[in-house]
Amino acid sequence: MPALLFFTDPVRTPDPEAIAERLPPGSAIVYRAFGATGALERARSLKQVALRRGLKLIIGRDVALARRVGADGVHLPEALAHRALAVRRMNPGWIVTSAAHSFAAARLSRADAVVMSVAFPSRSASAGPAMGPIRLALLIRGSGRAVYALGGINDVTASRLLATGAIGIAGVDGLAG
């Protein structure tokens, strides 16, 4: 599993290719189209960057788009996490992750890993209250799942996650700078 996931956002990361070009090899791009026109073209562009830079490309929610561009996997929103096993069975070799915003969601997911948020205060419009590293560590240990931390992660806050048991970190605009 990649140690770093870069989540695209059409507003907060308008040029995801530029950010992807700076990611360390072995990282993953999680392309979230959110129904945008031109999603196929953007996904293909990101796939080219991924191939050139030694990255993985994971498509948010859209299994058909992931297949069409030859992605390395799919990221499911929390509401679709129950489909993780079926997605993996139909697409052997894919990385399947899902969002989790609570302990229960993390435990119920059957994805390869869950992306738990919000670790620290975030500028995301959908961010809830931050967990902080201690609560995050307790949730990770109790969930029995491989967990990525997401939300408010940057050069300063990332080091505070080292002892949480997270398998990696995920970021949106924290990777843009």
Side-chain angles (χ1 to χ4, degrees):
M1 297 291 286
L4 176 64
L5 304 179
F6 160 51
F7 278 76
T8 69
D9 181 278
V11 173
R12 294 164 54 201
T13 61
D15 187 2
E17 290 86 355
I19 296 169
E21 289 285 357
R22 297 190 313 264
L23 296 175
S27 300
I29 305 160
V30 181
Y31 173 54
R32 301 180 299 165
F34 295 118
T37 58
L40 178 59
E41 293 78 17
R42 171 63 41 94
R44 285 180 173 155
S45 175
L46 289 168
K47 179 64 177 180
Q48 291 306 309
V49 174
L51 289 170
R52 187 173 60 257
R53 300 268 307 120
L55 308 172
K56 302 284 186 190
L57 176 64
I58 298 171
I59 303 294
R61 185 184 198 136
D62 192 337
V63 173
L65 179 60
R67 285 186 189 130
R68 193 161 179 195
V69 299
D72 300 291
V74 70
H75 174 75
L76 301 170
E78 184 176 284
L80 298 178
H82 65 280
R83 296 185 182 169
L85 284 176
V87 169
R88 192 177 320 107
R89 276 190 211 116
M90 294 180 67
N91 303 280
W94 270 14
I95 296 168
V96 180
T97 62
S98 70
H101 302 284
S102 69
F103 175 76
R107 286 201 45 98
L108 291 173
S109 176
R110 293 300 176 249
D112 298 315
V114 296
V115 179
M116 181 75 74
S117 66
V118 178
F120 298 105
S122 171
R123 292 181 291 214
S124 171
S126 63
M131 288 181 239
I134 294 171
R135 184 164 175 241
L136 180 65
L138 292 171
L139 288 171
I140 290 170
R141 286 183 183 92
S143 73
R145 300 278 173 255
V147 175
Y148 287 94
L150 171 68
I153 299 172
N154 56 37
D155 293 344
V156 175
T157 59
S159 65
R160 295 179 58 203
L161 298 170
L162 292 174
T164 63
I167 65 165
I169 60 173
V172 183
D173 55 353
L175 298 171

